[in-house]
Amino acid sequence: MAFAQAHLSNLSVPAAERQQALNRIHADPGVPKDATTSSFWLKEPHPQFAQKSSNSLPSEADVVIIGSGVTGASIARTLLQNRAKGSNSHPAVVMLEARDICSGATGRNGGHILETADEYAEFADMFGEAAARKILRFRLAHLREILGVAEEMGLTETAQTRKVQFLSAFFCDEEWKAAKERLGRFKEGMPEESKEWVAYEKDSIPEKIKLSRAAGVIAGPAGALWPYKFVTGVLSRLVSDYPSDFRVEDNTAVRAIQRGKGQGHEYTIETSRGTIHARHVIHCTNAHVGHLVPGLRGRIFPVRGQMSAQNPGEKFPLQATKHSWLFNYDRGFDYLTQLPSGQMMLGGGFARSESLGCADLGVPTDNEMSLAIDIHLSGALSAVFGRESWGRVQGEPIQAMWTGNMGFSADGLPWVGQLPGSVTHRTPDKNKPNVGAEWVCAAFCGEGMVQAWLSGKALATMLLKKDGQSGMDLSWFPEQLLVTEERIATAVLPQTVHDLPVQRQANL
């Protein structure tokens, strides 16, 4: 059962509260609001993007990308590196951001490149073994891809990109048993890819990893990074390498999109700073995509998550380049990385929030926090690692606490591809089928670091192919993530809780 359905059908939560969440999911998410919580990741603005845009907005472009997170950065890089030369539009690619650059979900996430492979069994049951292997290879490839891009662009040290071993700890015997079964299916179905995965029963958990309270631990390859510094580093390099072809415009909220009013360009994009005409428009707004693409409401929707930056206990050894963590409880989970400077970047607590998480479904703002999650995150680390192993915290325990909006989908998969008029409500000109298009790359369901970068690369490749670029391979991209009319018709949440299946357990 997909994430939202499991929460919305939980009979432990009053029907009225679940209905309120469902109403938010089907509502217009709007544009990101100026008022926000302060993300630790954003405390050191990139010098190139620290000042608000002062230059006039370009009047036209080949492609307008709405959103400046990891998805938009990947799309821009792929387009600029592969586009055919000779376009009359300069700049060729313009990126628009409603607030500061990379201040949305990417600048607020966990900085965790984590694929546990838990989903392999679920994908195999849904789509078959071959499709499950393809989806997992796509997700697993992000670790190698992101670390490789960081090295290629000289960002490894700046963005603190590093490979680690994840430790997925289970504190409930029943959940541990189910996890071992999922791991067994993954190893059987993908023996080569799963070689680095190991399981530790309670009595065999190494003492040095400080998880003696767990029922069991699964370990495997993962990565960690400073997401804001990675994305702004990529964008800064692209601006430098393509000064005539790439512009990044912050504090430029898109208010409306119209079709067929440009001179030689199919789209007119009305923004808070003026109007720009473009051949292609790409929606990388994730949780906010339903604002400009109304037909995706109820199919893609916001979910508010909460993160913290904490000082470690004095007895806890520095493991920033060795490990990252996932803590699985009888209800819900937390995720953790450690910076080389020692800070513990802990997020999660969703199922501990008001209405067992329903209060955060459909919430498109990041200017408030859950008191219940704050309490949970503030005390979780000394409990899971053990107070004797954790020790006293020197200085202020909590350095920062903030929220962010993730984009989730009704079927639990990203949406990547060209948008039809049935969802944009902007009817294509049948006499001009190849003029341009609207595209979407969104709904990474809280797992953007193992889905967004290569989804962006795939989306840019689709656009280039539509524009006649040859030799662009997409055989590696899972078809289940594509935008189709069939998916539009079926992958949508109902309007009322009475039309949802019943979920009596609260193990979410």
Side-chain angles (χ1 to χ4, degrees):
M1 182 179 290
F3 176 85
Q5 289 91 320
H7 285 274
L8 291 167
S9 59
N10 188 348
L11 298 185
S12 300
V13 181
E17 296 179 23
R18 290 183 281 132
Q19 185 61 56
Q20 289 172 6
L22 200 51
N23 293 343
R24 292 192 298 269
I25 283 170
H26 282 276
D28 181 352
V31 299
K33 301 294 188 291
D34 290 338
T36 69
T37 50
S38 298
S39 168
F40 178 92
W41 300 120
L42 305 177
K43 67 174 187 162
E44 300 175 11
H46 190 288
Q48 187 168 345
F49 304 118
Q51 302 298 319
K52 289 180 170 55
S53 296
S54 57
N55 297 327
S56 61
L57 194 68
S59 61
E60 64 178 37
D62 279 349
V63 180
V64 164
I65 300 171
I66 308 175
S68 65
V70 64
T71 310
S74 175
I75 292 171
R77 181 174 184 265
T78 304
L79 289 176
L80 292 165
Q81 289 184 339
N82 294 281
R83 66 184 292 271
K85 305 302 179 183
S87 168
N88 293 323
S89 294
H90 291 291
V93 179
V94 173
M95 177 176 286
L96 306 178
E97 172 58 53
R99 302 190 299 201
D100 293 338
I101 298 303
C102 197
S103 62
T106 302
R108 296 171 177 276
N109 71 20
H112 208 176
I113 311 171
L114 175 64
E115 176 51 65
T116 64
D118 268 2
E119 297 87 352
Y120 175 81
E122 181 181 355
F123 291 147
D125 291 342
M126 292 173 61
F127 308 120
E129 297 284 347
R133 285 191 286 270
K134 188 171 185 177
I135 295 171
L136 260 292
R137 288 185 182 118
F138 164 77
R139 292 163 65 107
L140 290 168
H142 279 76
L143 177 58
R144 178 180 65 254
E145 183 83 6
I146 291 175
L147 295 183
V149 169
E151 183 176 3
E152 176 189 333
M153 304 190 84
L155 297 171
T156 300
E157 183 175 351
T158 300
Q160 301 178 15
T161 57
R162 56 205 185 272
K163 182 178 179 181
V164 297
Q165 180 189 53
F166 78 78
L167 302 171
S168 185
F170 294 82
F171 296 91
C172 169
D173 290 336
E174 184 177 345
E175 290 298 314
W176 171 236
K177 180 181 178 182
K180 288 189 292 182
E181 292 175 356
R182 293 192 297 269
L183 178 62
R185 289 191 63 180
F186 173 51
K187 281 187 165 292
E188 182 180 355
M190 303 183 71
E192 286 299 316
E193 292 85 352
S194 63
K195 284 182 176 179
E196 292 186 62
W197 270 255
V198 294
Y200 298 104
E201 294 285 353
K202 182 176 181 61
D203 294 338
S204 65
I205 297 173
E207 191 278 333
K208 63 182 180 181
I209 65 176
K210 308 299 181 183
L211 288 170
S212 61
R213 304 186 73 175
V217 174
I218 291 175
L225 77 168
W226 194 302
Y228 171 84
K229 291 184 178 182
F230 173 75
V231 168
T232 54
V234 170
L235 294 178
S236 177
R237 175 69 176 272
L238 292 176
V239 170
S240 175
D241 289 351
Y242 303 94
S244 299
D245 282 333
F246 186 46
R247 284 276 293 274
V248 179
E249 302 288 339
D250 62 3
N251 293 279
T252 309
V254 177
R255 292 173 173 169
I257 299 172
Q258 299 183 55
R259 186 155 190 159
K261 292 192 175 183
Q263 296 295 321
H265 291 76
E266 192 66 9
Y267 294 95
T268 298
I269 299 101
E270 299 175 8
T271 82
S272 58
R273 295 178 55 231
T275 299
I276 181 171
H277 302 287
R279 294 178 59 247
H280 295 281
V281 180
I282 305 176
H283 299 269
C284 301
T285 50
N286 212 20
H288 296 271
V289 72
H291 177 59
L292 294 170
V293 188
L296 289 181
R297 296 171 195 169
R299 295 168 175 83
I300 301 176
F301 49 88
V303 173
R304 183 173 59 190
Q306 197 152 317
M307 271 290 298
S308 68
Q310 306 187 25
N311 281 320
E314 60 184 357
K315 294 183 179 180
F316 190 77
L318 183 65
Q319 301 184 50
T321 59
K322 297 179 181 178
H323 296 127
S324 65
W325 299 265
L326 192 66
F327 307 127
N328 305 274
Y329 313 114
D330 62 336
R331 190 176 79 238
F333 62 91
D334 298 331
Y335 41 91
L336 173 71
T337 63
Q338 186 177 26
L339 298 184
S341 53
Q343 288 93 346
M344 312 296 285
M345 309 302 291
L346 177 68
F350 185 88
R352 309 286 169 171
S353 72
E354 295 76 6
S355 301
L356 300 179
C358 279
D360 291 304
L361 292 177
V363 177
T365 55
D366 52 21
N367 62 335
E368 295 179 333
M369 290 183 288
S370 161
L371 174 62
I373 296 179
D374 192 330
I375 293 171
H376 169 78
L377 294 180
S378 296
L381 293 179
S382 63
V384 296
F385 288 119
R387 290 172 178 80
E388 289 299 316
S389 298
W390 186 248
R392 296 175 59 86
V393 176
Q394 301 295 321
E396 188 68 30
I398 308 299
Q399 291 190 298
M401 186 84 69
W402 65 95
T403 53
N405 303 114
M406 301 168 282
F408 274 68
S409 66
D411 60 5
L413 296 170
W415 286 68
V416 183
Q418 184 175 339
L419 289 169
S422 60
V423 292
T424 64
H425 299 176
R426 291 175 279 274
T427 306
D429 187 342
K430 294 181 179 179
N431 296 319
K432 300 177 181 178
N434 298 315
V435 170
E438 283 188 72
W439 308 80
V440 68
C441 194
F444 303 111
C445 302
E447 299 176 323
M449 296 312 297
V450 292
Q451 299 198 94
W453 184 268
L454 287 176
S455 289
K457 186 174 183 178
L459 190 284
T461 302
M462 294 174 201
L463 188 154
L464 291 166
K465 287 169 70 70
K466 181 177 176 62
D467 277 355
Q469 202 105 334
S470 61
M472 305 293 289
D473 177 41
L474 270 174
S475 61
W476 50 271
F477 189 71
E479 62 182 24
Q480 290 77 16
L481 281 56
L482 294 171
V483 177
T484 65
E485 289 287 7
E486 179 183 3
R487 190 176 176 197
I488 290 168
T490 59
V492 58
L493 290 174
Q495 297 278 350
T496 69
V497 295
H498 304 296
D499 295 325
L500 286 160
V502 173
Q503 173 77 9
R504 297 184 180 277
Q505 299 299 317
N507 297 334
L508 306 172

